[in-house]
Amino acid sequence: MRNAATKTEMRRLLTNARYEVLPTATIEDKILGSVPPGHTFTVTASIGKGLPATLDLAERLVGHGYRAVPHLAARMISGRAELEEIVARLLASGIDSVFVPAGDADPQAGAYAGSVDLLRDLSDMGRPFAHVGVTGYPESHPTINDDITVQAMWDKREHATELVSNLCFDPAVVSTWIKRVRSRGAATPLLIGLAGPVERTKLLSMATKIGVSESARFLAKNKSVFARIATPGGYSPERFIERISPTTREPSSHVEGLHLFTFNQVAETHTWRENLLAELDSHSAAKR
C-alpha cells in the first residue's frame, strides 16, 4: 500500500509531465481532441518525414496554445547556417525549448556527427533557447559503447539545461542510474522517460506508419517495449512511478518530472494520467 510520501511524490511527478509525439498526419487532430491547451508536447524528428514535419507541427501546436519542444536531431541538420535558420524560425514562433538528440540519420546530413557538436554551436550563438534537453541512458545503448555515452553526457552538461532518460522498464535500473549520474557530479535537472499505458497492437501500428526502413530501426530499438507490453502484468506505468519515487523525491536527485512516451496514443496516455492524479488526490482528501 502506498504511503503518504509515495503518493505525494507520484502526484508531483505526474503533475510535471510532458508528452512525446511523432509528427504523423493525424497527431494534431488527436491532440486537439483529447488534451486541453497548456500542456507540453515534445515532437520527435523522423528521418522519413524530415525535420520540416517536426518544426511545422511544433509551430502549429504553439498556435493552438500548447507548449512545444521540437527535437533538433543533429545528424539531420547540415550545419551552422541551417541551424541558425531553424533557431530564428523557432524563436519567431515563440518556442523557447528544444531537445537535441544525435538522431539516426546515416549518413549524417553534414557537419554534425552528434549532439555535442550542435550543442556547442547553440552555445556559441548565445544560448538562444531557455531550455535545452539531451538524452541520458539508464541502460546500454543498442549501438553505442557505455563509456562513450557516459563521456557524451559529461560533455553535454555545459550546454544542456535538462537531461531526459531514455526509455527503460526497470525502476531499479533507473533509480541506480540517477544515483550514478549524481555521483559523477552532474547536477543537470532530470526528466524520467516513461512509457504510458500503450497497447501492443497500436504500438505496432504506429511503427508501420513511420516508414519501412524507419520502422525496422524503431522495432529494433524498442524490442523490450513489445516484450513488456505483450506479457500480462509485465509493465505498469503507475507501478514504475511508485517504485522510483523513493529515489526521485530525494532533493539530491534533481528529478523535475516525467517525459511520457505516448507512441501517439495521446488520448489514452492523457486519460490515464488524469485518472491517476484524481485517484491520488481523492486518497489525499479522504485522509484530511
Side-chain angles (χ1 to χ4, degrees):
M1 189 172 181
R2 298 168 187 157
N3 60 34
T6 296
K7 292 173 184 175
T8 297
E9 178 61 7
M10 291 179 70
R11 190 181 302 108
R12 183 185 74 86
L13 292 174
L14 286 160
T15 299
N16 300 310
R18 65 189 194 184
Y19 302 131
E20 179 178 293
V21 296
L22 292 82
T24 60
T26 60
I27 188 59
E28 184 177 356
D29 288 339
K30 288 181 179 179
I31 292 171
L32 292 174
S34 59
V35 183
H39 288 272
T40 300
F41 286 88
T42 70
V43 185
T44 66
S46 163
I47 299 171
K49 296 181 179 301
L51 202 55
T54 299
L55 305 180
D56 290 346
L57 177 58
E59 289 174 332
R60 292 197 303 274
L61 289 177
V62 168
H64 291 306
Y66 301 97
R67 186 165 176 263
V69 184
H71 287 212
L72 302 186
R75 294 175 64 87
M76 292 175 66
I77 297 174
S78 61
R80 175 73 175 255
E82 184 181 3
L83 179 61
E84 289 178 348
E85 292 176 0
I86 291 170
V87 168
R89 173 180 174 177
L90 294 178
L91 293 178
S93 300
I95 293 173
D96 68 351
S97 302
V98 294
F99 181 76
V100 183
D104 295 328
D106 186 16
Q108 67 201 54
Y112 300 128
S115 57
V116 175
D117 304 322
L118 190 150
L119 289 165
R120 287 176 178 147
D121 271 358
L122 283 178
S123 293
D124 288 344
M125 293 164 61
R127 302 177 185 269
F129 299 108
H131 306 281
V132 178
V134 296
T135 308
Y137 297 97
E139 297 179 300
S140 296
H141 189 282
T143 60
I144 305 174
N145 183 276
D146 286 348
D147 290 341
I148 295 175
T149 60
V150 170
Q151 182 62 50
M153 190 179 73
W154 184 254
D155 293 340
K156 295 171 190 175
R157 78 192 189 285
E158 297 179 359
H159 309 285
T161 64
E162 59 192 21
L163 181 63
V164 183
S165 69
N166 202 29
L167 193 59
C168 176
F169 290 92
D170 190 330
V173 168
V174 171
S175 294
T176 299
W177 175 74
I178 293 170
K179 295 171 184 175
R180 289 176 61 196
V181 168
R182 297 318 180 200
S183 71
R184 298 185 197 116
T188 310
L190 279 169
L191 291 172
I192 302 302
L194 176 74
V198 186
E199 293 181 21
R200 184 179 184 276
T201 54
K202 291 186 178 180
L203 184 60
L204 181 59
S205 174
M206 183 71 258
T208 60
K209 288 178 181 177
I210 61 177
V212 176
S213 61
E214 200 166 348
S215 293
R217 283 188 291 269
F218 176 92
L219 294 170
K221 289 168 60 179
N222 293 281
K223 286 183 291 186
S224 63
V225 175
F226 287 94
R228 293 296 182 114
I229 292 172
T231 304
Y235 174 66
S236 162
E238 50 263 47
R239 187 168 62 242
F240 185 98
I241 300 171
E242 181 178 352
R243 290 180 177 175
I244 65 171
S245 65
T247 299
T248 62
R249 68 174 174 245
E250 292 296 325
S252 59
S253 74
H254 298 293
V255 172
E256 294 192 337
L258 302 175
H259 179 99
L260 295 175
F261 294 91
T262 71
F263 299 99
N264 282 22
Q265 295 182 41
V266 173
E268 295 88 342
T269 302
H270 183 66
T271 298
W272 163 81
R273 173 178 171 268
E274 293 293 293
N275 288 344
L276 185 52
L277 278 169
E279 176 189 330
L280 292 166
D281 288 340
S282 67
H283 287 169
S284 176
K287 295 214 168 182
R288 291 192 191 123

